[in-house]
Amino acid sequence: MPQTRRRRRSGQHLGQDQRLALTSDGRNKKRKTDMGRNDKGSVGFIGIGTMGLEMVRNLLKAGHTVRAFDLNEAAIVGIVKEGAVRAKSPAEAAQGADIVITMLPDTPHVEATIYGEHGLLKSPPSGKLIVDMSTISPVAVRRIHADLQKIGVSFIDAPVSGGPLGAKNAALSIMAGGDADAFAKAEPFFRAMGTTITHVGAAGAGQTVKLCNQLICGINIQAICEALALGRASGLDLDLLRRVLLGGSAASWMLDKLGPAMIAGDVSAGFRIDLQLKDLRLVQEQAQALSVPLPGTALVTSQYVDARAHGEGSNGNQALFRVYDRMTNQTTG
């Protein structure tokens, strides 16, 4: 049964069997979780990018030990200085781990981590639990889940929403698909990284929810671009326009967080154009497989393709407004 967990004060976020029990001498002692250990655990973490870096930091802050792997040597050097242990391969990251978490750019990267020569299928964590927090294909998730299940390893797809700021503040929304028992084992680790933690169904359901999220985000960004383009052409003060819109029914997270950068012409990357385009591709693949027409998604996807064609794939999502610069022959900033 899908279930949602929210962080509460004074340890109320813990389950009944995890709450602090008062000992006879008046001292508090943590009861063990169903993993057979205290609330702190050992994590193998694969993918120390913009999001993964902040997630590892928060796992360390929560008291978990982390063995980290990434192909980017600089990323590993940095996080080791903050307390993580270096791993030379996914298999080494999994050694002695209660849970392995992957946070990678796309489906092929996750598949290589699972099925590769030094992958997790051959060297699963001792805790028999792997969680992918990337945004990848739901079809691939179900295949990976089935293959790992054959060797007695649980797999959870738990993509996130909230962007780099949410990752930094341990305020991510985490949508998890997979077996309920595996979700319960993963939840103490999720609490170190997010505030809204929801079990949304069977394997692949987490990714499907994330794709719905990305569909809305993409079209919302497009709507903001069009409103700003119309306001600019009409001679409005765009900062004032944004403030007024935030006070009414047009208000949104995207208008609040990305609107200032659009107006200033700041395209610095948070969540990149390339990644949003990848997510929209996955949305369309899912929709086509299910014969669900998504005309709005098709339109905004073509605009993201336009942005990438103009060399903006590594820019932040707000760089979509440059498509409207070109269409209107006007300039931001």
Side-chain angles (χ1 to χ4, degrees), residues 255-319:
L255 180 60
D256 182 27
K257 305 301 182 185
L258 298 187
M262 289 181 182
I263 293 167
D266 176 4
V267 298
S268 56
F271 191 80
R272 302 193 307 275
I273 289 284
D274 275 343
L275 290 176
Q276 180 69 16
L277 184 55
K278 177 264 295 185
D279 291 351
L280 291 172
R281 169 179 56 79
L282 292 173
V283 169
Q284 291 194 309
E285 287 176 359
Q286 180 88 334
Q288 289 168 10
L290 298 171
S291 298
V292 177
L294 299 176
T297 301
L299 176 57
V300 74
T301 300
S302 71
Q303 292 182 337
Y304 272 92
V305 171
D306 180 298
R308 187 170 67 179
H310 283 85
E312 299 181 37
S314 61
N315 290 336
N317 243 334
Q318 70 276 14

Side-chain angles (χ1 to χ4, degrees), residues 313-331:
S314 61
N315 290 336
N317 243 334
Q318 70 276 14
L320 192 70
F321 194 34
R322 288 192 173 184
V323 173
Y324 287 84
D325 289 348
R326 292 186 285 272
M327 288 195 294
T328 61
N329 196 28
Q330 294 182 316
T331 305

Side-chain angles (χ1 to χ4, degrees), residues 98-243:
D98 296 310
I99 181 174
V100 169
I101 296 172
T102 56
M103 188 62 175
L104 298 164
D106 203 349
T107 306
H109 304 96
V110 176
E111 291 176 328
T113 299
I114 299 294
Y115 298 108
E117 181 180 356
H118 301 288
L120 299 176
L121 190 65
K122 294 179 180 178
S123 301
S126 56
K128 304 295 183 183
L129 177 60
I130 298 172
V131 175
D132 176 52
M133 303 187 78
S134 323
T135 301
I136 66 172
S137 163
V139 175
V141 163
R142 288 189 286 270
R143 182 175 66 253
I144 293 169
H145 176 273
D147 289 342
L148 288 170
Q149 194 173 48
K150 293 174 185 175
I151 62 169
V153 176
S154 297
F155 183 75
I156 295 286
D157 56 299
V160 302
S161 181
L165 184 61
K168 182 176 182 178
N169 295 332
L172 292 170
S173 175
I174 301 172
M175 48 216 85
D179 301 334
D181 289 345
F183 171 78
K185 288 176 64 177
E187 190 184 358
F189 302 97
F190 290 155
R191 284 200 303 269
M193 299 177 284
T195 51
T196 303
I197 301 162
T198 310
H199 182 215
V200 296
Q207 293 296 346
T208 301
V209 172
K210 177 61 184 292
L211 296 184
C212 292
N213 181 88
Q214 295 305 86
L215 178 162
I216 293 171
C217 288
I219 294 176
N220 187 201
I221 292 169
Q222 180 194 33
I224 295 166
C225 290
E226 297 202 353
L228 293 179
L230 180 61
R232 180 176 60 187
S234 303
L236 296 180
D237 179 322
L238 296 189
D239 288 314
L240 179 61
L241 171 61
R242 172 181 165 272
R243 289 199 300 272

Side-chain angles (χ1 to χ4, degrees), residues 31-101:
R31 292 179 179 173
K32 292 185 177 180
T33 67
D34 58 1
M35 290 186 295
R37 59 185 300 137
N38 285 337
D39 203 27
K40 311 308 177 190
S42 174
V43 183
F45 201 103
I46 300 166
I48 316 299
T50 301
M51 297 288 289
L53 174 63
E54 301 296 347
M55 294 161 75
V56 169
R57 283 172 171 163
N58 286 319
L59 286 164
L60 291 169
K61 288 176 185 176
H64 302 295
T65 59
V66 179
R67 189 182 294 270
F69 172 76
D70 196 285
L71 294 175
N72 183 348
E73 177 66 15
I76 290 297
V77 169
I79 199 62
V80 165
K81 289 179 179 178
E82 297 184 40
V85 178
R86 177 196 299 268
K88 296 180 181 179
S89 68
E92 190 171 309
Q95 288 179 6
D98 296 310
I99 181 174
V100 169
I101 296 172

